[in-house]
Amino acid sequence: MNWTVYLSGEIHTDWRLQIMQGAERNTLPVEFTSAVTDHAASDASGDGLGSEADSYWRDHKSAKVNSIRTRTLIERCDIAIVRFGDKYKQWNAAFDAGCCAALGKPYITLHDESIIHPLKEVDAQAMAWAKTPQQVVEVLTHVMKEQGI
Amino acid sequence: MNWTVYLSGEIHTDWRLQIMQGAERNTLPVEFTSAVTDHAASDASGDGLGSEADSYWRDHKSAKVNSIRTRTLIERCDIAIVRFGDKYKQWNAAFDAGCCAALGKPYITLHDESIIHPLKEVDAQAMAWAKTPQQVVEVLTHVMKEQGI
Amino acid sequence: MNWTVYLSGEIHTDWRLQIMQGAERNTLPVEFTSAVTDHAASDASGDGLGSEADSYWRDHKSAKVNSIRTRTLIERCDIAIVRFGDKYKQWNAAFDAGCCAALGKPYITLHDESIIHPLKEVDAQAMAWAKTPQQVVEVLTHVMKEQGI
Amino acid sequence: MNWTVYLSGEIHTDWRLQIMQGAERNTLPVEFTSAVTDHAASDASGDGLGSEADSYWRDHKSAKVNSIRTRTLIERCDIAIVRFGDKYKQWNAAFDAGCCAALGKPYITLHDESIIHPLKEVDAQAMAWAKTPQQVVEVLTHVMKEQGI
Amino acid sequence: MNWTVYLSGEIHTDWRLQIMQGAERNTLPVEFTSAVTDHAASDASGDGLGSEADSYWRDHKSAKVNSIRTRTLIERCDIAIVRFGDKYKQWNAAFDAGCCAALGKPYITLHDESIIHPLKEVDAQAMAWAKTPQQVVEVLTHVMKEQGI
Amino acid sequence: MNWTVYLSGEIHTDWRLQIMQGAERNTLPVEFTSAVTDHAASDASGDGLGSEADSYWRDHKSAKVNSIRTRTLIERCDIAIVRFGDKYKQWNAAFDAGCCAALGKPYITLHDESIIHPLKEVDAQAMAWAKTPQQVVEVLTHVMKEQGI
Amino acid sequence: MNWTVYLSGEIHTDWRLQIMQGAERNTLPVEFTSAVTDHAASDASGDGLGSEADSYWRDHKSAKVNSIRTRTLIERCDIAIVRFGDKYKQWNAAFDAGCCAALGKPYITLHDESIIHPLKEVDAQAMAWAKTPQQVVEVLTHVMKEQGI
Amino acid sequence: MNWTVYLSGEIHTDWRLQIMQGAERNTLPVEFTSAVTDHAASDASGDGLGSEADSYWRDHKSAKVNSIRTRTLIERCDIAIVRFGDKYKQWNAAFDAGCCAALGKPYITLHDESIIHPLKEVDAQAMAWAKTPQQVVEVLTHVMKEQGI
């Protein structure tokens, strides 16, 4: 039984890498997927379709192109990890969590204690709240390793 | 044909009231629904189930009780209006928008120009972006008034 | 048992009116719904959200606002009538028919014999093909009148 | 993560080939699918089931046989490309786009600027509008190449 | 809580009437629906759309018109009663039962002991097998009367 | 906005009555539904369909007849209350909770502290755990009363 | 793109074999599935669970065991072929067709001209009607062979 | 055609092993999945996310972590076997059965005759009731072995 895990949210620290390395150390049967995490490439993903004078429409076109990737990967994942950092609005992470909740996809939030209160609705629908990437790896290991039978 | 419109997000200004008054002026066939917007009541909604020493669990219990209301109302609405103010994280608004996107519910975002960029993923899945409650009323009027036939 | 019938497509002749009058004559228990059929109002439905320099984006905004109405009404109908006239592209009518097919909504096409061949895929998924509004009324009468029991 | 892309619409130019060659150049992990694009074979697909005196029923039978293929491939694709040429009605392309919209399948339209207005409803539900096959390849490359993690 | 019950199958005896009278005697909160049970009207339901030389296509057109009614009523019912008589093929009754099974609609079969074996697959998915209309009324009474609370 | 609440589980105490009276005191816009709670009537619900020599089949027939009611009411409810008493197996209550979880229906469990551990999987998917009927009424009041807007 | 085809219905002639051999001759990328076609084994499939005095319950148990196989295979197929012979009731074939219709699975009926009229409802929802296994092979070949692109 | 079978319920006897060995003896094309059956590991699955003073929340966290595994495996299985032993409450087994019923997953119960009555609702929705692991193997063999065609 192979698993697919979608990694959503903050792109300024190496939490994705830490989770992937931990999963590899534990030889988990898992494929990780993610949005494009190169910030500039993500913002420019619609530029090839023609330039826009208005920055709203530039953002709009790129966000829609990106959504082809993100929405599909979310629908095809078994589990999502949703990371909230201590900076920026990160509304896209909360948006992804809402998608997961409505689609019945279990997700784990990854964030510090300092933002518990504003994240309470997002956490309420999550299956777990982790404070470190290592904790996420522990949960995934419990979930995926075949101690079952 | 009656419509149900869910009003999600920011609770510190009277945007809900403005939309409702506008709808009434235009005699739209609409019922509005919303999360509990009394901040203290919302935070305390789980307190009756027993007090918690740990504030995480207090938040957790209240957020789940609130979600009985919000999730049901979102599933029963035809349209959602999702409002982002200029303060606070408002992750629950983005979360609601994600739910709507995944459920195929059309939603309209309501926010200032200053936060276009961080909201681009949320706007990309929206059916319209409005800057004022009056614009929302205009859109609802177009959508609901029976010029069709 | 009340029925809801969505009237999709061509807006330059009075086929909607003929069907509605026929239904009234036969006292069918039916509510008719439709896109906004005032062409200018439909094209301008997004103008209130701010003017656009680029006509693509003006069209885009209006089409999305209109879709709040059309998509919702299609999802809430029991039956759709999809009318193709002898002029214009009418891709939106074919698009509506595709939505109905995918949602499992039965639809009836209404068009002349002259366009049978280009409409064959749309007709193949339809439950009936009518040449006149009167024929549509006949079918609806058979479907709705309580000879059943 | 492999992707499946359905190519819908116009069959008189080599746009399918251009997209496939571009995808191969970029070594995208993608399988392309399509309706039968041999026009005569498509029109005759039901002939083996018995000849018809009435051309409406010949068209009907063939269109239904073709739909076994097209409907299944649309339901199994991750992304659809819907091409509108400058000739013919191409209602089946708009029909396919409507199916995709209702099924929640992201699609990209491919057409000239000259037909923006009649396609505005179809474009409004699309995730991108491309003017050339090369632009489609660019979008697919952004979506599929693993810059994510 | 009101209920809707669809009555499917055999049209040559008055079993529908017996169930409806029994329900009325027991003042059940129920609305009954059904296919058109006038055999000639049912066979001719597509005739208004144009005559057909080939009887296959005449049947085909009428069956599709009838299905607008039957499929919609099945989707809107809470419970179906599927009656098999001792004559005729009655494949449409078995077809309706299959629809119900796939849609998760509970259904009750109504037939004699003599046809238990050929109906075993249909009975296996049913929630009850009744031999008389009176037994159906008894079951409906148990299901609908508010002894619950 | 009216609500429907399904009351599942233990039938030997008057918890249903207490919740209903509390809801009435608070004038909640709610309709309560429930399985048949008359134990003997529930066990005998299939007897009218013919007696059975084997008690397994008697139980089987009655359970299926009862499921026509329970499954339909669960699918039509907005919220379920699932009550576990201190006696009996009450597997049907846990079964109902599992149905709710899979259907995305929010449910509240009602049970003593003494059975927290064996109910942990059922509680984990619940939106709230109440120890008294009065607590359930409090939660329902928060959820339904229109403080929202 | 591989296809799965479910073969439903009559078990007294070798139509399954003819279709499979035709598919092999044409090297179609297809896996065929089917109910257990050994009549005695099918009737006895529940016997291992304990003998039954009442033949209704023996049939019931076996039919349910068989349905584990048939329902799963129908849900996992891309296309179904439903065969009606000239003998027996074959209600299970009509039942399977109803399941396919409700699940949106395209199916092809295979039967003689002599039973067109009683099968009109089943044929009305089919994507094709074939008179011989060879015709089925022809349709499958058109559907599966990669002339598309 | 490969099958996936989820083994739910009692963890104190070797029934899982007996079924797996029987399936291997019969060379069934099947993958078995299961919850984590190491009781201590299951109870502690959330401990890595931080310790809890209140045992309710410790249970809650672990049960949610476990549900990531169990819910996903249930959604991905073709068949579930639900085992009830003669000790303990085993509400999670009944809960899993309820999930299966609502998701349309066929399941087989495995339990002694002594608990027929309290399990009647769970058995009523099952496709089979087995008393021994060997009977389960027999049913799976009938379902999976390719006698079909």
Side-chain angles (χ1 to χ4, degrees):
Chain A
M1 188 61 68
N2 293 307
W3 298 75
T4 303
V5 174
Y6 183 74
L7 303 172
S8 168
E10 183 245 309
I11 58 173
H12 302 93
T13 63
D14 69 344
W15 67 275
R16 279 178 179 82
L17 188 65
Q18 289 186 50
I19 289 175
M20 292 170 76
Q21 289 174 337
E24 199 168 31
R25 260 196 310 277
N26 292 1
T27 61
L28 301 185
V30 62
E31 178 177 17
F32 290 98
T33 58
S34 175
V36 170
T37 56
D38 175 331
H39 199 150
S42 170
D43 279 3
S45 67
D47 289 358
L49 296 169
S51 62
E52 295 294 332
D54 185 333
S55 73
Y56 177 80
W57 293 118
R58 188 206 176 207
D59 274 354
H60 196 73
K61 274 165 61 171
S62 289
K64 282 199 159 176
V65 166
N66 290 332
S67 82
I68 299 176
R69 176 180 176 118
T70 54
R71 180 67 180 272
T72 303
L73 295 180
I74 286 173
E75 289 185 359
R76 288 169 70 176
C77 79
D78 297 305
I79 304 170
I81 315 299
V82 188
R83 162 74 183 157
F84 292 87
D86 54 358
K87 287 191 291 193
Y88 307 107
K89 295 290 190 183
Q90 305 172 91
W91 282 320
N92 59 327
F95 184 84
D96 284 357
C99 283
C100 288
L103 294 170
K105 300 280 179 189
Y107 65 89
I108 300 166
T109 57
L110 172 60
H111 62 81
D112 288 346
E113 281 198 62
S114 57
I115 46 179
I116 282 176
H117 192 65
L119 276 173
K120 69 180 186 298
E121 285 88 2
V122 179
D123 280 345
Q125 304 299 318
M127 287 302 113
W129 161 47
K131 276 161 278 189
T132 65
Q134 189 50 40
Q135 286 180 324
V136 172
V137 173
E138 251 182 81
V139 169
L140 295 183
T141 303
H142 180 79
V143 167
M144 292 176 195
K145 294 291 272 193
E146 300 288 316
Q147 315 133 285
I149 41 181
Chain B
M1 189 62 66
N2 292 307
W3 298 75
T4 303
V5 174
Y6 184 74
L7 303 172
S8 167
E10 186 246 310
I11 58 174
H12 303 94
T13 64
D14 70 345
W15 66 275
R16 280 180 179 80
L17 187 64
Q18 289 185 51
I19 290 175
M20 292 171 75
Q21 289 173 337
E24 199 167 33
R25 262 196 308 278
N26 292 1
T27 61
L28 301 185
V30 62
E31 177 177 17
F32 290 98
T33 59
S34 175
V36 171
T37 56
D38 175 329
H39 199 150
S42 170
D43 280 2
S45 66
D47 289 359
L49 296 169
S51 63
E52 296 294 332
D54 185 333
S55 73
Y56 177 80
W57 294 117
R58 189 206 176 206
D59 274 354
H60 196 73
K61 274 166 60 174
S62 290
K64 282 199 159 175
V65 166
N66 290 332
S67 81
I68 299 176
R69 177 179 174 118
T70 54
R71 179 67 180 270
T72 303
L73 295 179
I74 286 173
E75 288 186 358
R76 289 169 69 177
C77 79
D78 297 306
I79 304 171
I81 315 298
V82 188
R83 163 73 182 157
F84 293 87
D86 54 357
K87 285 190 295 191
Y88 308 105
K89 295 290 189 181
Q90 303 171 93
W91 283 319
N92 59 327
F95 183 85
D96 284 357
C99 283
C100 288
L103 295 170
K105 299 280 179 190
Y107 65 89
I108 300 167
T109 58
L110 173 60
H111 62 82
D112 289 346
E113 282 199 60
S114 58
I115 46 177
I116 283 177
H117 192 65
L119 276 173
K120 68 181 187 296
E121 285 87 3
V122 178
D123 280 345
Q125 304 299 319
M127 287 302 112
W129 160 46
K131 275 160 280 188
T132 67
Q134 190 47 42
Q135 286 181 323
V136 172
V137 173
E138 250 183 82
V139 170
L140 295 182
T141 304
H142 179 79
V143 166
M144 294 176 194
K145 294 292 271 194
E146 303 286 317
Q147 316 130 286
I149 40 180
Chain C
M1 188 63 65
N2 292 307
W3 298 74
T4 303
V5 174
Y6 183 74
L7 303 172
S8 168
E10 184 247 309
I11 58 174
H12 302 95
T13 65
D14 69 346
W15 66 276
R16 279 180 180 80
L17 187 64
Q18 290 185 52
I19 290 175
M20 292 171 74
Q21 289 174 337
E24 198 167 33
R25 262 197 309 279
N26 292 2
T27 61
L28 302 185
V30 62
E31 177 177 17
F32 290 99
T33 59
S34 174
V36 171
T37 56
D38 175 329
H39 199 150
S42 170
D43 280 2
S45 66
D47 288 359
L49 296 169
S51 63
E52 295 295 330
D54 185 334
S55 74
Y56 176 80
W57 293 117
R58 189 207 175 205
D59 275 355
H60 196 72
K61 274 166 57 175
S62 291
K64 281 198 159 175
V65 166
N66 290 333
S67 80
I68 299 176
R69 177 179 175 117
T70 54
R71 179 67 180 271
T72 303
L73 295 179
I74 286 173
E75 289 186 359
R76 288 169 69 177
C77 79
D78 297 306
I79 305 170
I81 314 299
V82 188
R83 163 73 182 157
F84 293 87
D86 54 358
K87 286 190 295 191
Y88 308 106
K89 295 290 189 181
Q90 303 170 93
W91 283 319
N92 58 327
F95 184 84
D96 284 356
C99 282
C100 289
L103 295 170
K105 300 280 179 189
Y107 64 89
I108 300 167
T109 57
L110 173 60
H111 61 83
D112 288 346
E113 281 199 61
S114 57
I115 47 177
I116 282 177
H117 192 66
L119 276 173
K120 68 180 187 298
E121 285 88 3
V122 179
D123 281 345
Q125 305 299 318
M127 287 302 112
W129 160 45
K131 275 161 279 188
T132 67
Q134 191 48 41
Q135 286 180 323
V136 172
V137 173
E138 249 183 82
V139 170
L140 295 182
T141 303
H142 180 79
V143 166
M144 293 176 194
K145 294 293 271 193
E146 302 287 318
Q147 317 130 283
I149 40 181
Chain D
M1 188 61 67
N2 293 305
W3 297 74
T4 303
V5 174
Y6 183 74
L7 303 172
S8 168
E10 183 246 309
I11 58 173
H12 303 94
T13 63
D14 69 346
W15 67 275
R16 280 179 180 81
L17 187 65
Q18 289 185 50
I19 289 175
M20 291 170 75
Q21 288 174 337
E24 198 169 31
R25 261 196 309 278
N26 291 1
T27 61
L28 301 185
V30 62
E31 178 177 17
F32 290 98
T33 59
S34 174
V36 170
T37 56
D38 175 330
H39 199 151
S42 170
D43 279 4
S45 67
D47 289 358
L49 297 168
S51 62
E52 295 295 332
D54 185 333
S55 73
Y56 177 80
W57 293 117
R58 189 208 174 205
D59 274 354
H60 196 72
K61 273 165 60 172
S62 290
K64 281 199 160 175
V65 166
N66 290 332
S67 81
I68 299 176
R69 177 179 176 118
T70 54
R71 180 65 180 273
T72 303
L73 294 179
I74 287 173
E75 288 185 359
R76 288 169 69 177
C77 79
D78 298 305
I79 305 170
I81 314 299
V82 188
R83 162 75 183 156
F84 292 86
D86 53 358
K87 288 190 291 193
Y88 307 107
K89 295 291 191 184
Q90 304 169 94
W91 282 319
N92 58 328
F95 184 84
D96 284 356
C99 283
C100 287
L103 295 169
K105 299 280 179 188
Y107 65 90
I108 300 166
T109 57
L110 173 60
H111 62 82
D112 288 346
E113 281 198 60
S114 57
I115 48 179
I116 282 176
H117 192 65
L119 277 172
K120 67 181 188 295
E121 286 87 3
V122 179
D123 280 345
Q125 305 298 319
M127 287 302 113
W129 161 45
K131 275 161 279 188
T132 66
Q134 189 49 41
Q135 285 181 324
V136 172
V137 173
E138 251 182 81
V139 170
L140 295 183
T141 302
H142 179 80
V143 166
M144 293 176 195
K145 294 292 270 194
E146 301 287 316
Q147 313 132 285
I149 42 181
Chain E
M1 189 63 65
N2 292 306
W3 298 74
T4 303
V5 174
Y6 183 74
L7 303 172
S8 168
E10 184 246 309
I11 58 174
H12 303 94
T13 64
D14 70 345
W15 66 275
R16 280 180 179 79
L17 187 64
Q18 289 186 52
I19 290 175
M20 292 170 74
Q21 289 174 338
E24 198 167 32
R25 261 196 311 277
N26 292 0
T27 62
L28 302 185
V30 62
E31 177 177 17
F32 290 99
T33 58
S34 175
V36 170
T37 56
D38 175 330
H39 199 151
S42 171
D43 280 1
S45 67
D47 288 359
L49 296 169
S51 63
E52 295 294 331
D54 185 335
S55 74
Y56 177 80
W57 293 118
R58 188 205 177 208
D59 275 355
H60 195 73
K61 275 166 59 174
S62 290
K64 282 198 159 175
V65 166
N66 290 333
S67 80
I68 299 176
R69 176 180 176 118
T70 55
R71 179 67 181 270
T72 302
L73 295 179
I74 286 173
E75 289 186 358
R76 288 170 69 176
C77 79
D78 297 307
I79 304 170
I81 315 298
V82 188
R83 163 73 181 157
F84 293 87
D86 53 358
K87 286 190 294 190
Y88 307 106
K89 295 290 190 183
Q90 303 169 93
W91 283 319
N92 58 327
F95 183 84
D96 284 357
C99 283
C100 289
L103 294 169
K105 300 280 179 189
Y107 64 89
I108 300 167
T109 58
L110 173 59
H111 61 83
D112 289 346
E113 281 198 61
S114 58
I115 46 178
I116 282 178
H117 192 65
L119 276 172
K120 67 181 187 297
E121 285 87 3
V122 179
D123 281 345
Q125 305 299 319
M127 288 302 112
W129 161 45
K131 274 160 280 190
T132 66
Q134 189 48 41
Q135 285 180 324
V136 172
V137 174
E138 250 183 81
V139 170
L140 295 183
T141 303
H142 179 80
V143 166
M144 294 175 194
K145 294 291 271 193
E146 302 287 317
Q147 316 131 285
I149 41 181
Chain F
M1 189 62 67
N2 292 306
W3 298 75
T4 303
V5 174
Y6 183 75
L7 303 172
S8 168
E10 184 248 310
I11 58 173
H12 303 94
T13 64
D14 70 345
W15 66 276
R16 280 179 179 80
L17 187 65
Q18 289 186 52
I19 289 175
M20 292 171 74
Q21 288 174 338
E24 198 168 32
R25 262 197 309 277
N26 292 1
T27 61
L28 301 186
V30 61
E31 178 178 17
F32 290 98
T33 58
S34 175
V36 170
T37 56
D38 175 330
H39 199 152
S42 171
D43 280 2
S45 67
D47 288 359
L49 296 168
S51 63
E52 296 294 332
D54 185 334
S55 73
Y56 177 80
W57 293 118
R58 188 206 177 208
D59 275 354
H60 195 72
K61 274 166 59 173
S62 290
K64 282 198 158 175
V65 166
N66 290 332
S67 81
I68 298 176
R69 176 178 176 117
T70 55
R71 179 66 180 271
T72 303
L73 294 179
I74 286 173
E75 289 185 358
R76 289 169 69 175
C77 79
D78 297 306
I79 304 171
I81 315 298
V82 188
R83 163 74 182 155
F84 293 87
D86 54 357
K87 286 189 295 191
Y88 307 106
K89 296 290 191 182
Q90 303 169 95
W91 283 319
N92 59 328
F95 184 84
D96 284 357
C99 283
C100 289
L103 294 169
K105 299 281 180 189
Y107 64 89
I108 300 167
T109 58
L110 174 60
H111 62 82
D112 289 346
E113 281 197 60
S114 58
I115 46 178
I116 282 177
H117 192 65
L119 276 172
K120 67 180 188 297
E121 285 87 3
V122 179
D123 281 344
Q125 305 299 319
M127 288 301 112
W129 160 45
K131 275 160 280 188
T132 66
Q134 190 47 42
Q135 286 181 324
V136 172
V137 173
E138 249 183 84
V139 169
L140 295 182
T141 303
H142 179 80
V143 166
M144 294 176 194
K145 294 291 272 194
E146 303 287 317
Q147 316 131 285
I149 40 180
Chain G
M1 188 62 67
N2 293 306
W3 298 74
T4 303
V5 174
Y6 184 74
L7 303 172
S8 168
E10 183 246 309
I11 58 173
H12 302 95
T13 62
D14 69 345
W15 66 276
R16 280 180 180 80
L17 187 65
Q18 289 185 51
I19 290 175
M20 292 170 74
Q21 288 174 338
E24 197 168 32
R25 262 197 309 278
N26 293 0
T27 62
L28 301 186
V30 62
E31 178 177 18
F32 290 98
T33 59
S34 174
V36 170
T37 55
D38 175 330
H39 199 150
S42 171
D43 279 5
S45 67
D47 289 359
L49 296 169
S51 62
E52 295 294 331
D54 186 334
S55 74
Y56 177 80
W57 293 117
R58 187 205 177 208
D59 274 354
H60 196 71
K61 274 165 61 172
S62 290
K64 282 200 158 175
V65 167
N66 289 333
S67 81
I68 299 176
R69 176 180 175 116
T70 54
R71 180 64 181 274
T72 303
L73 294 179
I74 287 173
E75 289 185 358
R76 288 169 69 177
C77 79
D78 297 304
I79 304 170
I81 314 300
V82 188
R83 163 74 182 155
F84 293 87
D86 53 358
K87 287 190 293 192
Y88 307 106
K89 295 291 191 183
Q90 304 169 96
W91 282 319
N92 58 327
F95 183 84
D96 284 355
C99 283
C100 288
L103 295 170
K105 299 280 178 190
Y107 65 89
I108 300 167
T109 57
L110 173 61
H111 62 81
D112 288 346
E113 282 197 60
S114 57
I115 47 179
I116 282 177
H117 191 65
L119 277 173
K120 67 180 188 297
E121 285 87 2
V122 179
D123 280 344
Q125 305 298 318
M127 287 302 112
W129 162 45
K131 274 161 279 188
T132 66
Q134 189 48 41
Q135 285 181 325
V136 172
V137 173
E138 251 183 80
V139 169
L140 294 183
T141 303
H142 179 79
V143 166
M144 294 176 194
K145 294 292 271 193
E146 302 288 317
Q147 314 129 285
I149 40 180
Chain H
M1 189 61 68
N2 292 306
W3 298 74
T4 302
V5 173
Y6 183 75
L7 303 172
S8 168
E10 183 246 309
I11 57 173
H12 302 94
T13 62
D14 69 344
W15 66 274
R16 280 178 179 82
L17 187 65
Q18 289 185 52
I19 290 175
M20 292 171 75
Q21 288 174 338
E24 198 168 32
R25 261 196 310 278
N26 292 1
T27 62
L28 301 185
V30 62
E31 178 176 18
F32 290 98
T33 58
S34 175
V36 170
T37 56
D38 175 330
H39 198 149
S42 170
D43 280 3
S45 67
D47 289 358
L49 296 169
S51 63
E52 295 294 332
D54 186 334
S55 74
Y56 177 79
W57 293 118
R58 187 205 176 208
D59 274 355
H60 196 71
K61 274 165 61 172
S62 290
K64 281 199 160 175
V65 166
N66 289 333
S67 81
I68 299 176
R69 176 179 176 117
T70 54
R71 180 66 181 272
T72 303
L73 294 179
I74 286 173
E75 289 185 358
R76 289 168 69 176
C77 80
D78 297 305
I79 304 170
I81 314 299
V82 188
R83 163 73 183 156
F84 293 87
D86 53 358
K87 287 190 293 192
Y88 308 106
K89 295 291 191 182
Q90 305 171 93
W91 283 319
N92 59 327
F95 184 84
D96 284 356
C99 283
C100 288
L103 294 170
K105 299 280 179 189
Y107 64 90
I108 300 166
T109 56
L110 173 60
H111 62 81
D112 289 346
E113 282 198 60
S114 57
I115 47 178
I116 282 177
H117 192 64
L119 276 173
K120 68 180 187 297
E121 285 87 2
V122 179
D123 280 345
Q125 305 299 319
M127 286 302 113
W129 160 45
K131 276 161 279 188
T132 65
Q134 189 49 40
Q135 285 181 324
V136 173
V137 173
E138 251 183 80
V139 170
L140 295 182
T141 303
H142 180 79
V143 166
M144 294 177 195
K145 295 291 271 194
E146 300 289 316
Q147 315 130 284
I149 41 180

